[in-house]
Amino acid sequence: QAKLEGRNRFRFFSSDIDSSIRHRHFLEQQMRSALEDGIFEVFYQPKVDSKSASIVGMEALVRWRDANGCLISPMDFIPLAEETGLIIPIGKFVLQKACHDTQELIKEGRQLVVSVNISTVQFLHESFLQMVNNTLLESGLRPEFLELEITEGVLAKDISHTQHILSSLRERGIRIAIDDFGTGYSNLAYLKRFPIDVLKIDKSFVHEMLFNKSDIAIIEAIINLAQALDLELVAEGVETQEQANSLRSLNCQILQGYLFSRPLPFIEFRDLLWETTTSIEAPGKHSRYWR
Ligand code: C2E
Ligand code: MG
Ligand code: MG
Ligand code: MG
């Protein structure tokens, strides 16, 4: 009886795997044709100075709209793109678009730094440095306006290779940010070994910070660490005015999150830039940020 049940369960499970393989295969095909048809998009989410409320930069986030016009989350397709190698052309597209759009803004007099997410697979790929250099040359964007976001996982992979890549980027003048800081790697020694400019506090800490003593303690520790090591600090996932006030009073310089704006198509992001510079409201104790 037990054996039979086991076999049944196995059969059930295996057809489950079949359908998930079929689904992944389907997604992979869709991703390939989306690339060919040029239907990936890049959205931008502002990064805001916590004291002045002015926009100091933006994060580029890839978007994929399916045939029905629905956005598919990068969380759902980036892992498959990494496994299939499609992350290389997708990542190149995002970097090209981000550099090009940022150079447009700079021509209009907006000196903004663009942050681009780099997957570990992409970072460790042999063509990475060359691709970044070519993209900067083609777009005309100066390297100091480009920031690359990597995760702690990269730093644990191939230390001497990673060191070489990071130093080359730093020599070019490109900035390096550690994304989702606090969720990955526990050995903080890498912070002195690698040339890093920015820590981005993971949004999971920000979401609970007003209700959870451990989260506020972790945030305070990260802020102290960033100050001691002279790193810029960004808090991501800021959704409420209370979180923003609290982060500001802890001296977190830069905030990013739905409170200010969702990620927007380039045209809308540019409109937002114009709106907010013509009517900037100083973020006093009781005043809201813009939006
Ligand atoms: P991430 O780099 O940590 O990006 C922040 C994510 O948080 C984005 O999700 C953003 O839309 C979302 N977010 C921003 N503000 C808030 C907020 O106030 N509350 C909440 N709950 N979420 C907020 P998104 O765009 O879905 O991207 C998810 C992840 O996918 C990114 O996390 C990044 O790891 C990856 N990703 C996105 N675009 C790219 C890309 O072009 N290349 C690579 N390699 N990865 C990307
Ligand atoms: Mg990021
Ligand atoms: Mg993040
Ligand atoms: Mg991330």
Side-chain angles (χ1 to χ4, degrees), residues 172-224:
R172 286 285 268 127
I174 296 164
R175 294 150 50 91
I176 304 294
I178 304 298
D179 203 355
D180 306 336
F181 185 76
T183 60
Y185 193 51
S186 55
N187 181 357
L188 292 178
Y190 75 79
L191 289 175
K192 62 175 188 188
R193 191 179 314 133
F194 296 118
I196 286 158
D197 304 282
V198 183
L199 300 182
K200 293 190 81 172
I201 302 178
D202 190 65
K203 54 180 173 298
S204 60
F205 302 120
V206 174
H207 287 168
E208 297 275 299
M209 66 180 289
L210 298 172
F211 314 103
N212 187 321
K213 275 196 178 136
S214 334
D215 285 318
I216 194 87
I218 291 169
I219 289 180
E220 282 174 3
I222 295 175
I223 291 173
N224 287 333

Side-chain angles (χ1 to χ4, degrees), residues 59 61 117 149 179 200 236:
E59 177 170 5
L61 295 155
N117 292 284
E149 296 190 5
D179 203 355
K200 293 190 81 172
E236 63 177 20

Side-chain angles (χ1 to χ4, degrees), residues 24 28 77-87 121:
R24 286 160 52 86
E28 185 186 340
F77 69 84
I78 294 283
L80 186 59
E82 289 178 329
E83 281 171 48
T84 54
L86 286 172
I87 192 65
V121 175

Side-chain angles (χ1 to χ4, degrees), residues 32-41 93:
R32 280 186 202 281
S33 50
L35 253 174
E36 278 164 22
D37 301 345
I39 61 173
F40 282 101
E41 297 167 51
F93 161 74

